[in-house]
Amino acid sequence: MKILILGAAGQVARLLREKLLNESSNDLVLYARNAKERIEVSDAARETVIDGDFLDTKQLQEAMTGVDVVYLNDMGDVKAVQNVVEQMDKAGVKRFIGASILGIYNEVSGEFGEWNQQMIGSSPRMQIQKDTAKLVEESDLDYTLLRLTWLYNDDQQAAYAVTRKGEPFVGAQITRQAVAQAIFDIITSDDSTYINESLGLSEPGSEKLSKPSFMG
């Protein structure tokens, strides 16, 4: 299987790349702005690096050649996500996994929901994430959207909990390592459990928090 990682220089994308190289036999296409300056190939037989942005139609078409799965590390630009969807349709690539944020369905409640609303609820970023999620959900792709709660790093913490669209979002934080693990699990799964689903990802136990522990 060949996997295209869009935004491959991002933190979660780097962790995902490492897991895929170490724990699978899949080939990777690593796509990012100035990618050849920011990404050092560790397995030339399995990795292809492509410089480009998400609006670069020609480069995206090249990147999608022979690809089975596309992971998009940032859904924060409507035109960019629209172009990715269009190029996937043209290339005949169906499987899409995209990283979004919590709160796009007003699904976060309680004290943490109030805190989260104050922090990002009325921000332009939130509206953009709502728009890009809707765009993907209305496409004909076999998509999985990942609504991520507040992120931090911990190499010793890769556990994650899942909520589905329509359920209350619980969990104030999650490690980037856990997000990478979840994406890895979805990509390498033999079934179609999470196709055409929007999943909330959080750290088990963090549903008890009123805000992320690292926010003081």
Side-chain angles (χ1 to χ4, degrees), residues 16-212:
L16 174 62
R17 171 198 175 197
E18 183 179 356
K19 286 192 72 67
L20 288 166
L21 286 175
N22 293 337
E23 301 176 34
S24 81
S25 59
N26 296 310
D27 294 329
L28 307 180
V29 181
L30 308 173
Y31 189 101
R33 290 188 184 93
N34 304 313
K36 293 180 181 176
E37 298 173 12
R38 300 164 68 194
I39 298 172
E40 184 176 347
V41 171
S42 57
D43 188 341
R46 293 173 57 198
E47 295 181 291
T48 302
V49 177
I50 297 179
D51 286 324
D53 63 39
F54 301 155
L55 295 174
D56 192 329
T57 297
K58 182 178 179 182
Q59 291 294 76
L60 278 176
Q61 288 177 344
E62 178 186 342
M64 289 181 186
T65 303
V67 161
D68 301 288
V69 180
V70 172
Y71 167 64
L72 178 57
N73 197 58
D74 180 4
M75 291 180 57
D77 185 305
V78 175
K79 289 183 179 179
V81 174
Q82 178 70 58
N83 194 41
V84 169
V85 171
E86 289 176 357
Q87 299 318 311
M88 287 183 68
D89 283 338
K90 289 180 181 178
V93 182
K94 296 291 288 183
R95 190 71 177 102
F96 174 88
I97 301 168
S100 185
I101 63 174
L102 78 170
I104 59 173
Y105 310 121
N106 300 313
E107 77 278 22
V108 191
S109 60
E111 283 187 71
F112 172 59
E114 293 175 6
W115 179 86
N116 189 69
Q117 178 67 25
Q118 291 175 351
M119 296 296 288
I120 62 171
S122 60
S123 67
R125 179 185 179 215
M126 177 61 76
Q127 187 58 52
I128 290 169
Q129 295 285 342
K130 289 180 179 181
D131 292 342
T132 54
K134 185 170 185 281
L135 193 159
V136 170
E137 289 176 309
E138 292 178 349
S139 75
D140 61 356
L141 299 178
D142 295 333
Y143 69 85
T144 305
L145 293 178
L146 303 176
R147 288 171 283 123
L148 308 182
T149 189
W150 291 72
L151 298 167
Y152 72 107
N153 291 317
D154 185 344
D155 289 333
Q156 305 305 311
Q157 175 59 275
Y160 62 90
V162 173
T163 56
R164 286 180 155 88
K165 185 177 180 180
E167 298 176 343
F169 191 105
V170 295
Q173 64 190 37
I174 191 170
T175 67
R176 292 179 177 87
Q177 289 79 1
V179 174
Q181 181 67 57
I183 299 165
F184 176 87
D185 291 345
I186 292 168
I187 288 174
T188 57
S189 173
D190 292 330
D191 61 38
S192 58
T193 302
Y194 293 137
I195 288 180
N196 294 339
E197 291 228 40
S198 176
L199 307 177
L201 293 185
S202 61
E203 181 178 300
S206 70
E207 67 273 8
K208 301 173 184 177
L209 301 174
S210 59
K211 64 179 178 179

